Amino acid sequence: EPEVTQTPSHQVTQMGQEVILRCVPISNHLYFYWYRQILGQKVEFLVSFYNNEISEKSEIFDDQFSVERPDGSNFTLKIRSTKLEDSAMYFCASSETPLRVHEQFFGPGTRLTVL
Amino acid sequence: KNEVEQSPQNLTAQEGEFITINCSYSVGISALHWLQQHPGGGIVSLFMLSSGKKKHGRLIATINIQEKHSSLHITASHPRDSAVYICAVNYGGSQGNLIFGKGTKLSVKP
């Protein structure tokens, strides 16, 4: 069964460093998302991406964040200068189409720890 | 503000019990999702619904659009059902991104 994959599963970094979180969405899906979950809190939307551009973003997704689909399979989230408060689980998700609401399929998450 | 509220926050049940988890939301939605999050953190989609009722195995999800309320039921609960159950919605004005509730932590004892 097709699934969303994410790498790495756990990333530890120093404050101020740049990190890139990688996702491989399901191959025929067209709409991609990043969410984050700070420990003990609810999952929060960061950004959605369609047709090689950002479709929607939340207030959390400020200038330190960027997303990219560098090739036909990967979808990345870059955090330019990490802060302690960026420590969280980051989930990638994908869905078939944005034309109407579709089920979203989630990756296993990347746990980011900023020291 | 678009809010998703779940109750209860925590639920402990004995194996075999019938479980109900509730979700309410504040404004019109295009769809409501029930998700399961296991202790390792992974999230699995259980249901997506915009009206009526859906059933999958021992899980049943219902939604009442007029009352802005949904329930997730688990029949004949089992310890392997222990997880966090999350309600999330697509609000009408959004382009697909989900707004999440805080989740209900379910523990089923043998």
Side-chain angles (χ1 to χ4, degrees), chain A residues 3 14 56 66 80 87 94 100 106 109 113:
Chain A
E3 58 182 17
Q14 294 290 327
E56 196 166 7
S66 62
R80 255 179 280 283
S87 294
S94 68
R100 65 179 183 88
F106 287 81
T113 302

Side-chain angles (χ1 to χ4, degrees), chain A residues 31 33 35 37 42-43 45 55-56 89 91 101-104 106 108, chain B residues 30-31 33 37 40-41 43 45 48 90 95-98 100-102:
Chain A
Y31 213 58
Y33 311 82
Y35 297 91
Q37 185 178 33
K42 63 182 179 180
V43 180
F45 166 73
S55 181
E56 196 166 7
M89 182 78 102
F91 293 101
V101 175
H102 260 268
E103 183 180 6
Q104 293 186 23
F106 287 81
Chain B
S30 49
H33 303 248
Q37 186 170 32
I43 296 174
S45 176
M48 185 186 75
N90 297 104
Q95 295 184 35
N97 56 290
L98 295 173
F100 290 76
K102 291 182 179 177

Side-chain angles (χ1 to χ4, degrees), chain A residues 4-16:
Chain A
V4 177
T5 60
Q6 289 185 244
T7 55
S9 56
H10 191 186
Q11 173 96 47
V12 181
T13 190
Q14 294 290 327
M15 191 170 56

Side-chain angles (χ1 to χ4, degrees), chain A residues 18-61:
Chain A
E18 174 183 286
V19 295
I20 297 176
L21 310 183
R22 290 183 167 80
C23 168
V24 179
I26 293 172
S27 62
N28 63 332
H29 285 188
L30 300 176
Y31 213 58
F32 315 121
Y33 311 82
W34 283 103
Y35 297 91
R36 81 170 184 192
Q37 185 178 33
I38 295 170
L39 187 64
Q41 298 187 23
K42 63 182 179 180
V43 180
E44 302 171 289
F45 166 73
L46 291 177
V47 65
S48 58
F49 191 86
Y50 170 68
N51 202 25
N52 280 320
E53 61 183 25
I54 290 174
S55 181
E56 196 166 7
K57 61 182 181 179
S58 72
E59 294 172 351
I60 302 167
F61 194 87

Side-chain angles (χ1 to χ4, degrees), chain B residues 14-58:
Chain B
Q14 287 300 125
E15 183 173 355
E17 284 185 5
F18 181 83
I19 306 286
T20 295
I21 300 170
N22 297 298
C23 175
S24 61
Y25 50 91
S26 54
V27 296
I29 63 169
S30 49
L32 183 142
H33 303 248
W34 281 103
L35 309 160
Q36 182 188 55
Q37 186 170 32
H38 281 283
I43 296 174
V44 175
S45 176
L46 298 175
F47 295 103
M48 185 186 75
L49 63 166
S50 53
S51 65
K53 176 179 173 178
K54 286 191 176 180
K55 186 176 189 293
H56 182 68
R58 295 181 293 106

Side-chain angles (χ1 to χ4, degrees), chain B residues 64-106:
Chain B
N64 184 317
I65 297 295
Q66 286 74 30
E67 294 187 3
K68 297 184 175 60
H69 180 268
S70 174
S71 293
L72 176 69
H73 305 286
I74 305 174
T75 61
S77 59
H78 190 277
R80 66 175 174 266
D81 297 326
S82 298
V84 176
Y85 291 84
I86 302 172
C87 172
V89 301
N90 297 104
Y91 278 105
S94 77
Q95 295 184 35
N97 56 290
L98 295 173
I99 306 298
F100 290 76
K102 291 182 179 177
T104 294
K105 186 174 182 180
L106 171 66

